[in-house]
């Protein structure tokens, strides 16, 4: 009963990927350029990371700043990124696993208003269901079987179908592949061609990277290709998946970046608070997104390097993260 | 009057369910506090898994997200969603603790919406996240929730997460993995399990200071009663001191 917003046809995806460049060429550009070039109205979008952890904040802000509309979106434990995209009413078709909440921080009043407005067409999934949909796409097949969601309304409002195992007769839920038109993932390190290294949890990002037709990478720092080739065991996303590489230090701010900096809980609390009043929220967005030149401008307006150094301390000294 | 609050009691009750060497999938808040308490009090070899990828950490303090850096503190692996859920689907996760806006007599949970129109809900909640997945795959699903007639309803508006579905053998027929399902419901007033045939919720223990009537009065459907209903044990001094001094000194969860 739920809609499937992207075509699960594996042969059509193969036709696309057949033409995707395998050339080892520099892809470094600004976030502004990357969004202009690869994110279009009506595209299906996926954002990497989990909640407010290792998210490409700069790309989310830029999509809102450039006023993209009518996009499809994968709400795959999407918390602060979801909050940002809702502020711009960027999408009107949504695959849901976890949205409108910021886990232990509470629920986003503005995201709820948007989701209760009737403006968004919704299909329901779960975290694993969406992960499996990316896994299918990454593997180049049109669906993947899983043993969850059966018997629930989550199944009823999803686009999954019940199938039978040809060997045992057991029931499975068939999860249709998603090949996002464009995704953005924030990583620790990348070379100029897009070979990426990620530390900490990977969530579904390795499959998302392989499933996406276009991929924007933001990285904490650029590294030499020699360093990638010195030990390829650390490469988790290969360059042929990547279309744009943007160096954005502190790119997950105000989110957490494993081994780099903790989340800015004060600023995230401010977002949730200011959303209660639509007028105040508009001013807040003008200050923090619409009138910002880029991610550094945004960080400067919220404490700059002093704030970032504190967040680095917190990441390294957990006991202080409570304060 | 004993010196503990109901949240502390619920967390201690939940923690005691986790035996040493077991494997539990948890979310943030009370479930995480329960797993941390078990690991520090009586189950040093408890394996704690987080859906975002943290595998077997020794959590230094309460995470604010199931994906934040603390969920991989001294962990054996930083993995991903599929790794964790596949481990569960393979049958290697013994327990999970969940919550929700509504629960019915078969342990089905709603964390998606209130109101009949799915595209324009009266109230929108976050949705499943990994709850449906953990409840489908983990052998024993437990729920920690306040006992309140608005939460304990005859029929949930939407089944986000499977309990025993419509009772009887309906869950087995649905295609969900056999043998897994709701195990215990832990509230501020009581502990419930499920009657084996009908799969209806049943009182098995009452918390100190409450009566069976209190529990029934704060439930929107008729509860079954076990032949012998015991009194649930209050938290010990040791449990409380670990909970207050090490796990949640800033009272994020136990101060609620």
């Amino acid at each position: 009963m739920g809609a499937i917003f992207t075509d699960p046809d594996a042969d059509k995806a193969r036709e696309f990927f057949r033409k995707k460049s395998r050339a080892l060429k520099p892809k470094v550009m600004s976030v502004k350029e990357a969004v202009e070039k690869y994110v279009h109205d009506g595209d299906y979008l996926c954002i990497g990371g989990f909640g407010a952890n290792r998210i490409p904040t700069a790309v989310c802000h830029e999509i809102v700043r450039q006023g993209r509309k009518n996009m499809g979106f994968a709400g795959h434990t999407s918390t602060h990124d979801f909050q940002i995209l809702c502020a711009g009413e960027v999408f009107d078709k949504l695959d849901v696993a976890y949205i409108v909440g910021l886990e232990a921080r509470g629920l986003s009043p503005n995201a709820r208003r948007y989701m209760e407005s009737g403006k968004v067409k919704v299909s329901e999934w779960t975290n694993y269901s969406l992960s499996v949909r990316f896994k299918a796409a990454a593997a180049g097949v049109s669906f993947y079987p899983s043993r969850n969601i059966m018997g629930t309304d989550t199944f009823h409002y999803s686009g999954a179908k019940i199938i039978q195992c040809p060997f045992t007769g057991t029931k499975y839920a068939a999860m249709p592949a998603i090949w996002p038109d464009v995704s953005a993932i924030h990583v620790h390190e990348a070379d100029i061609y897009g070979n990426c290294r990620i530390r900490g949890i990977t969530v579904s990002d390795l499959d998302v990277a392989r499933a996406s037709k276009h991929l924007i990478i933001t990285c904490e720092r650029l590294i030499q290709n020699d360093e990638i080739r010195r030990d390829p065991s650390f490469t988790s996303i290969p360059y042929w998946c990547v279309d744009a590489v943007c160096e954005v230090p502190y790119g997950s701010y105000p989110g957490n970046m494993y081994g780099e900096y903790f989340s800015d809980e004060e600023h995230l609390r401010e977002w949730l608070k200011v959303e209660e009043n639509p007028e105040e929220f508009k001013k807040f967005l003008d200050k923090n997104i619409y009138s910002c030149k880029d991610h550094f401008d945004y960080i400067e307006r919220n404490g700059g390097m002093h704030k970032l150094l504190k967040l680095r301390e917190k990441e390294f000294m957990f006991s202080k993260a409570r304060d | 009057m004993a010196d503990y609050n109901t949240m502390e009691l619920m967390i201690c009750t939940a923690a005691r369910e986790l035996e040493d060497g077991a494997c539990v999938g948890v979310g943030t808040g009370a479930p995480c506090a329960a797993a941390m308490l078990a690991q520090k009090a009586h189950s040093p070899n408890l394996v704690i898994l987080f859906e975002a990828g943290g595998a077997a950490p020794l959590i230094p303090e309460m995470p604010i997200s199931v994906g934040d850096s603390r969920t991989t503190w001294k962990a054996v692996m930083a993995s991903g969603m599929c790794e964790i859920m596949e481990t569960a689907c393979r049958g290697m996760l013994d327990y999970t603790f969940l919550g929700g806006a509504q629960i019915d007599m078969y342990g089905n949970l709603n964390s998606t919406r209130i109101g009949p129109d799915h595209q324009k809900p009266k109230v929108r909640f976050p949705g499943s996240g990994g709850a449906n997945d953990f409840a489908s795959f983990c052998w024993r699903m437990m729920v920690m929730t306040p006992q309140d007639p608005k939460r304990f309803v005859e029929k949930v508006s939407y089944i986000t997460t499977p309990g025993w579905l419509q009772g009887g053998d309906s869950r087995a027929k649905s295609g969900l993995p056999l043998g897994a399902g709701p195990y215990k419901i832990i509230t501020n007033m009581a502990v419930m399990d499920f009657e084996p045939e009908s799969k209806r919720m049943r009182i098995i223990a009452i918390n100190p200071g409450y009566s069976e009537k209190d529990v029934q009065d704060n439930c929107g459907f008729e509860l079954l009663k076990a032949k012998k209903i015991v009194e649930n044990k209050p938290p010990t001094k040791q449990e409380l001191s670990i909970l207050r001094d090490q796990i949640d000194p800033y009272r994020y969860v136990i101060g609620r």
Side-chain angles (χ1 to χ4, degrees), chain B residues 207-228:
Chain B
N207 289 341
Y210 292 103
S211 67
E212 285 174 38
K213 186 174 180 304
D214 292 331
V215 181
Q216 183 60 70
D217 287 350
N218 285 282
C219 184
F221 51 85
E222 196 196 336
L223 286 160
L224 302 180
K225 289 172 187 173
K227 274 191 187 132
K228 189 169 172 245

Side-chain angles (χ1 to χ4, degrees), chain A residues 103 126-127 135 153 315, chain B residues 51 65 69 86 124 133 159:
Chain A
E103 299 185 77
T126 70
N127 277 341
K135 192 182 178 109
D153 289 311
E315 178 67 4
Chain B
E51 64 199 64
S65 159
S69 295
E86 286 163 3
R124 176 73 214 197
D133 312 325
I159 302 179

Side-chain angles (χ1 to χ4, degrees), chain A residues 305-321:
Chain A
M305 203 59 201
H306 288 286
K307 172 65 81 57
L308 295 177
L309 284 175
K310 280 214 172 80
L311 298 175
R312 285 184 69 78
E313 270 178 34
K314 282 187 179 179
E315 178 67 4
F316 287 92
M317 301 164 73
F318 282 119
S319 59
K320 282 195 172 178

Side-chain angles (χ1 to χ4, degrees), chain A residues 128-321:
Chain A
Y128 183 55
S129 305
L130 280 184
S131 301
V132 152
R133 295 185 66 190
F134 296 125
K135 192 182 178 109
V141 297
S142 58
F143 77 94
Y144 194 94
S146 80
R147 303 191 73 185
N148 60 340
I149 84 169
M150 292 177 284
T152 64
D153 289 311
T154 306
F155 173 80
H156 185 68
Y157 288 96
S158 77
K161 290 190 190 305
I162 300 283
I163 56 169
Q164 232 185 359
C165 168
F167 306 102
T168 62
T170 307
K171 279 187 199 172
Y172 283 85
M175 304 288 175
I178 300 180
W179 282 279
D181 294 304
V182 60
S183 297
I185 296 175
H186 187 61
V187 304
H188 288 77
E189 297 172 334
D191 69 8
I192 58 172
Y193 311 109
N195 293 301
C196 301
R197 289 176 170 182
I198 296 174
R199 293 170 59 214
I201 56 169
T202 48
V203 199
S204 298
D205 291 3
L206 308 188
D207 287 324
V208 166
R210 287 152 179 80
S212 299
K213 292 179 175 171
H214 295 291
L215 178 59
I216 298 169
I217 292 293
T218 59
C219 61
E220 287 290 318
R221 55 195 156 267
L222 282 171
I223 57 169
Q224 296 284 357
N225 178 253
D226 281 353
E227 174 60 16
I228 294 282
R229 291 186 189 270
R230 184 184 63 77
D231 193 342
S233 52
F234 295 126
T235 309
S236 50
I237 299 172
Y239 75 93
W240 53 79
C241 294
V242 178
D243 296 89
V245 178
C246 316
E247 190 176 29
V248 187
Y250 300 99
S252 181
Y253 176 88
N256 175 208
M257 188 70 180
Y258 176 85
E260 300 280 346
Y261 44 91
F262 201 68
S263 44
D264 185 352
E265 291 305 318
E266 199 184 15
H267 185 59
L268 289 170
R269 264 200 303 276
E270 194 189 347
W271 264 89
L272 289 175
K273 180 74 196 151
V274 79
E275 283 188 353
E276 287 169 13
N277 179 332
E279 280 306 305
E280 289 298 311
F281 186 45
K282 199 176 163 295
K283 278 187 235 160
F284 179 87
L285 291 176
D286 282 337
K287 176 194 157 196
N288 287 301
I289 297 184
Y290 292 112
S291 73
C292 281
K293 199 162 80 246
D294 55 25
H295 194 59
F296 307 108
D297 205 2
Y298 166 58
I299 290 175
E300 279 299 313
R301 293 174 191 206
N302 289 285
M305 203 59 201
H306 288 286
K307 172 65 81 57
L308 295 177
L309 284 175
K310 280 214 172 80
L311 298 175
R312 285 184 69 78
E313 270 178 34
K314 282 187 179 179
E315 178 67 4
F316 287 92
M317 301 164 73
F318 282 119
S319 59
K320 282 195 172 178

Side-chain angles (χ1 to χ4, degrees), chain B residues 22-36:
Chain B
C23 186
V24 60
V26 297
T28 40
C32 189
M36 287 168 76

